[in-house]
Amino acid sequence: MANIEHVETLDSLDKVSVITYRLGITLFSFTLFLSSLAIADDIALVLIDGSLKEFAFISLALSAAMSAANLHVYDKKIRMIITWSAWIGLVLLILLDDSHFFWLPVGFLFITFSGIALKESFCFKVMGLKLIPFLLCIATLMLAMEVWLIALICLTLAGVIFLFLAIQKWKMPLHFDIGNKANYQN
């Protein structure tokens, strides 16, 4: 996490890593809206042609991989929990393709973004950011119990919060995401 007094020199890989991480967060915010739209389509609140649900799953998997692979957290235990949740979710998403247990891999991917939200809440005063783990947990439970309307509301609210986070992330210099490289645990 950034220390505003320290300006780390970034190489090309650092810059690509930060940009990919931020793109993952941005894509995740749109994925939450897309998932809400897919649920609304499933419960006939809106009518959309095409396979929106599959596209939402692909976007969710891609955003999780982008953010987890490029996570900048000093503490290796926290970094491991956040990233491994994404990889477990991605494997389960492949294994449980077209299953009634689709909420399980989604839950693991939501653990990743809950961790990212908590990490970012130490740096930003984005309203509602600390509510993300609660909203994503409730959404996962509602998906498991097929209570679509509450899941839709939680996903939409989380999408709005993550969109504000993404906007804030793109406004700041790239070196803020890396912080001081000497502080990272190996």
Side-chain angles (χ1 to χ4, degrees):
M1 287 185 270
N3 177 352
I4 57 174
E5 293 86 32
H6 178 79
V7 177
E8 188 69 49
T9 303
L10 304 181
D11 60 22
S12 297
L13 288 177
D14 292 330
K15 291 175 184 174
V16 168
S17 172
V18 171
I19 290 169
T20 305
Y21 173 75
R22 291 180 182 184
L23 283 172
I25 288 174
T26 306
L27 179 60
F28 181 65
S29 69
F30 290 115
T31 298
L32 290 172
F33 293 127
L34 194 61
S35 299
S36 298
L37 209 55
I39 290 171
D41 184 42
D42 280 352
I43 60 176
L45 290 178
V46 295
L47 297 174
I48 302 169
D49 286 336
S51 185
L52 191 58
K53 196 183 308 180
E54 285 180 32
F55 187 67
F57 280 141
I58 291 168
S59 298
L60 177 61
L62 185 60
S63 65
M66 291 169 73
S67 293
N70 296 290
L71 184 66
H72 305 103
V73 176
Y74 293 148
D75 188 298
K76 67 181 175 182
K77 291 174 191 152
I78 294 171
R79 190 171 56 239
M80 186 185 82
I81 290 168
I82 294 172
T83 57
W84 275 94
S85 295
W87 305 132
I88 291 169
L90 292 171
V91 168
L92 288 174
L93 197 60
I94 293 166
L95 294 176
L96 298 175
D97 185 36
D98 205 24
S99 167
H100 291 296
F101 297 105
F102 74 94
W103 55 269
L104 187 60
V106 169
F108 275 99
L109 297 175
F110 284 176
I111 289 170
T112 297
F113 284 102
S114 293
I116 288 171
L118 290 176
K119 169 213 180 267
E120 295 296 344
S121 72
F122 291 110
C123 302
F124 294 105
K125 302 294 183 230
V126 174
M127 192 166 95
L129 200 53
K130 290 185 180 182
L131 290 175
I132 290 292
F134 175 75
L135 290 170
L136 295 181
C137 179
I138 295 297
T140 303
L141 290 172
M142 294 301 109
L143 291 172
M145 296 187 313
E146 298 181 0
V147 181
W148 305 118
L149 190 58
I150 295 174
L152 184 148
I153 291 167
C154 289
L155 293 174
T156 302
L157 288 173
V160 169
I161 295 167
F162 255 93
L163 182 59
F164 283 125
L165 172 64
I167 291 167
Q168 293 302 314
K169 293 294 289 178
W170 287 109
K171 288 181 180 179
M172 64 187 235
L174 294 178
H175 70 85
F176 275 21
D177 280 39
I178 300 282
N180 186 343
K181 289 182 186 180
N183 291 340
Y184 284 89
Q185 294 177 352
N186 292 326

